[in-house]
Amino acid sequence: GGCIGRYLGRVASGDCPDGPSRLPQCDDISLRLRDMCQANGECGTSDDLNNCGDGFDVFELVDARACPTLVEATTCPSDPPVKACDNVTLGVDELCSGAGECLTSATLDNCGVDDVYLVTQIAPLSTPSPTGVRQTLPPSSGCPRLSALIDSTMCPSTLDLLSMASCLSIGLRAGDLCRGDGE
């Protein structure tokens, strides 16, 4: 499977796709950024989240920068945290509940049956808004407009290609080169 280093985010119930049973499993190595997947406990996901009705546990592959830095909580709260660990409004020193998103475990059970984590750093892709609530930065309204290099003399060396940003990277500007593989 393809779980190592995979950052998954819970899909909000209102964003569930039609026919979630047709989604690939979350350990499918063909998943690309923002693809949705069906979880059955693989990659540390919860198999009883039921966020998309009829027992479907749906996650999406997210950019690692959309996740806060977390550590396992060492002190348990009297009430389990309400916010999921991929909630962009989480602040430093807040507790969150993990179910496989952002490299959390759905089976940690460090606070009874709850999987509780402490935020040590906010998600790099979240930013303060004028109202004081952090919001995830938009992915430049989808994919950037790309054009292929026509002249092969413009192609970077193999070494440069290995370190080149993906064409899905946030922050690409006109004239930037990026490495694409079908996005």
Side-chain angles (χ1 to χ4, degrees):
C3 294
I4 296 174
R6 180 151 291 185
Y7 287 82
L8 299 169
R10 300 178 195 193
V11 171
S13 296
D15 295 331
C16 291
D18 292 332
S21 63
R22 295 188 303 264
L23 292 172
Q25 293 301 126
C26 289
D27 60 355
D28 187 319
I29 60 171
S30 69
L31 287 175
R32 301 277 184 223
L33 194 62
R34 294 188 186 83
D35 281 353
M36 289 186 189
C37 59
Q38 181 185 175
N40 288 311
E42 69 280 358
C43 301
T45 57
S46 170
D47 61 356
D48 61 359
L49 183 61
N50 301 330
N51 58 329
C52 288
D54 294 329
F56 290 102
D57 313 304
V58 179
F59 290 78
E60 70 176 324
L61 190 60
V62 298
D63 188 314
R65 296 172 297 166
C67 290
T69 304
L70 305 166
V71 294
E72 294 175 14
T74 56
T75 304
C76 295
S78 56
D79 292 317
V82 176
K83 293 180 183 177
C85 289
D86 60 353
N87 187 313
V88 296
T89 65
L90 285 169
V92 172
D93 294 330
E94 278 192 75
L95 295 174
C96 61
S97 175
E101 72 282 0
C102 295
L103 299 181
T104 61
S105 170
T107 58
L108 178 64
D109 299 338
N110 60 332
C111 291
V113 296
D114 296 307
D115 310 305
V116 180
Y117 292 83
L118 175 71
V119 178
T120 59
Q121 182 178 340
I122 64 168
L125 285 183
S126 63
T127 183
S129 73
T131 62
V133 176
R134 279 190 308 283
Q135 299 171 337
T136 299
L137 296 175
S140 306
S141 64
C143 293
R145 184 170 294 148
L146 304 171
S147 59
L149 291 176
I150 297 171
D151 183 354
S152 63
T153 63
M154 296 175 61
C155 293
S157 70
T158 302
L159 185 58
D160 290 338
L161 270 174
L162 294 174
S163 63
M164 187 174 290
S166 162
C167 291
L168 289 174
S169 297
I170 294 173
L172 287 175
R173 296 186 186 112
D176 285 352
L177 296 177
C178 61
R179 184 184 72 254
D181 60 354
E183 57 271 69

